[in-house]
Amino acid sequence: MSVGAAVNIRMIIKFMGILLMLLVPFMVMAGAVSLYYNEHVAFRAILFSCLITIGVGIIMFFAALRHDHRNIGRKEGYIIVTLAWVFISLFGALPLFLYNEATTFTDAFFETMSGFTTTGATILTDIEALSKGILFWRSLTNWIGGMGIIILTLAILPILGVGGMQLFVAEAPGTTPMRLHPRITETAKRLWGIYIIFTLLQTSLHMLGGLSLFDSITHAFSTMATGGFSPKNDSIAGFSAFNQYVVVLFMILAGTNFSLPYFILKGQINKVAKNDELRFYLIIIGLFTAIISLGLFLYGPIEFERAFRNSLFQVVSIVTTTGFITDDYEAWPGILLFLIFLLMFAGGCMGSTAGGIKMIRHLVLFKNIQLEFKRHVHPLAVIPVKVNGKTIPADVIHSFLAFFIIYLLTFSAGSAVLTLLGLDFESAIGASVAALGNIGPGIGSVGPIDNYAHVPIAGKWVLSFLMLLGRLELFTVLLLLSPAFYRK
């Protein structure tokens, strides 16, 4: 059976058109920043990008105006979500591509895919040489992608809520969709409301700490999205201790399930206090911070507060897959670098803006391993895995195991391909885990003080694909590559 017989193509085209038109107001915001700073070249680049994007969006919308009005099904949901991230990255790359003649479209696409997927990997060697408008757009791609472009669309256009649950399931960060309201559009609005409040709060604290409005809001955009794009060449390293701790606080918040702040606002504190994943997440951060702090203090001539701050910042940044840096962890003793590499496979909480494997999967599998020893001692006993007092079904555990295996296979395949393309082994595994986990900085030649400019063209497209896989948690994209997906 053809794809067209199984999937509503016109509805998908129409949705892509709507999506591109929704992208334009954000470009206009970046254009306004360029105008404010009298950046005429950047303004023209953003203006032309707006015209191209809205023109294509209108054409796609009206070309598919008469579409089948049946609900969005599971297949349409996966296709729309995957294409949405590809489309916004293609058209979102236009401002950077048109602004700098030396930037190839491959580099512009890589940078933009890295922005929207909140990876934070960059090909830019002198970030501060770019205009304020382009830098604002760059950080804005982080912020848009953090909560998700589909969730934003559902919040703004409730009419698309018909079948919108399929889109939400395919895109929402984490292992299960967060339902804060019976209506999916209301859930989307609440998530974006919390997201905006935290962004404004962090911006205010940075301004109190002496940062300019521009630096405050661009870093808040990237922090809450766990994206890691900074308009500064040295990332967060030049910030005061106060501002670094502010970033740490909001990285931790961004890495938690966004339903928890909602429960706090509703006065349901018990749901937060008894959340097993949150406790596990904080324990991992605390444990690794303590070990690395002690290591830095013992191995080098550094005061303890600085050792603690550097370790805390890097641990939180890697666990939450934000990718900001305040210190070169590759200069640390080998055992501490190894611990940082392990954390690249961690990830934040379910329902956060963080990437990676996610804490809930680690927690469930860790508990299952513990119980497996008991089952061997008592083979007839029925010992379920429980999280938050609820039994985890066997099919969910099997799904988590499958995710782990596919994640490691994808990481291995990405590393192998990058090695074939010319990267050394250390850089290949560093780039692969950093792209797949949406972390940004890796190890080797793509470490915290380096960038991805030297990666071959083919390698940048491979890494862009890994970023997309990681942002949509593998299955959403990989299903589209399966022949069975297109069968009736």
Side-chain angles (χ1 to χ4, degrees), residues 43 164 254-255 323 408:
F43 176 74
L408 293 177

Side-chain angles (χ1 to χ4, degrees), residues 433-452:
V433 69
L436 185 61
N438 301 136
I439 298 166
I443 59 175
S445 63
V446 293
I449 62 172
D450 299 296
N451 58 44
Y452 290 74

